[in-house]
């Protein structure tokens, strides 16, 4: 069983950068597709980015590409999300997720296809 633990969320002023971490334990996630989602109060759980097992082609949305960077350290069994130029609208709980299928599919932006989730880490951006 895979356990995911996010960390790095905090209160930050607008314009700063932040890196979130997602540490996996229980088993290696080296063959999993890993993703980050976020959920603002009262909102849906929205896809931000995903990275395949080979890490050679991360996937973003039009909204996230440019300010968000997903990466993974296979040796540490950890995935990261760097967020640059933080905006108040980035305030949300950020979740890490794992899909044991590996690769990217037409549904890879849907939360329902991910088998494992962390508990989330809160990011609050002050204006």
């Amino acid at each position: 069983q895979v356990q995911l633990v996010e960390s790095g969320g905090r209160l930050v002023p607008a314009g700063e950068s932040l890196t979130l971490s997602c540490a996996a334990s229980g088993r290696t996630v080296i063959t999993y597709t890993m993703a980050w989602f976020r959920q603002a109060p009262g909102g849906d759980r929205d896809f931000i980015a995903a990275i395949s097992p080979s890490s050679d082609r991360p996937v973003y949305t039009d909204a996230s590409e440019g300010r968000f960077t997903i990466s993974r350290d296979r040796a540490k069994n950890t995935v990261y999300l760097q967020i640059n130029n933080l905006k108040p609208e980035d305030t949300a709980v950020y979740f890490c997720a794992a899909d044991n299928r590996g690769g990217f599919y037409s549904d890879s932006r849907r939360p329902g296809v991910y088998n494992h989730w962390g508990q989330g880490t809160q990011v609050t951006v002050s204006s």
Side-chain angles (χ1 to χ4, degrees), residues 33 35-37 45-50 57-65 99 101 103-114 117:
T33 294
W36 284 94
F37 289 77
R45 191 163 296 191
D46 295 327
F47 175 86
I48 300 171
R57 195 166 53 94
V59 173
Y60 300 92
T61 65
D62 290 343
S64 65
E65 189 158 23
D99 177 3
R101 298 178 298 175
F104 295 122
Y105 303 88
S106 59
D107 59 359
S108 288
R109 290 179 173 85
R110 291 174 48 198
V113 306
Y114 289 84
W117 290 85

Side-chain angles (χ1 to χ4, degrees), residues 79-92:
V79 179
Y80 304 96
L81 182 71
Q82 180 178 341
I83 315 170
N84 295 323
N85 189 22
L86 279 155
K87 306 175 185 298
E89 51 265 40
D90 293 322
T91 294

Side-chain angles (χ1 to χ4, degrees), residues 9-78:
R10 59 184 177 89
L11 173 64
V12 292
E16 287 199 357
S17 298
L18 191 65
T19 298
L20 307 179
S21 300
C22 171
S25 62
R27 62 172 295 170
T28 179
V29 293
I30 195 170
T31 60
Y32 287 51
T33 294
M34 303 298 295
W36 284 94
F37 289 77
R38 70 182 184 184
Q39 188 167 17
D44 296 327
R45 191 163 296 191
D46 295 327
F47 175 86
I48 300 171
I51 190 165
S52 67
S54 65
S55 304
D56 62 351
R57 195 166 53 94
V59 173
Y60 300 92
T61 65
D62 290 343
S64 65
E65 189 158 23
R67 284 198 306 122
F68 296 78
T69 302
I70 189 172
S71 61
R72 68 193 300 168
D73 185 327
R74 294 184 187 84
K76 295 183 178 179
N77 221 22
T78 300

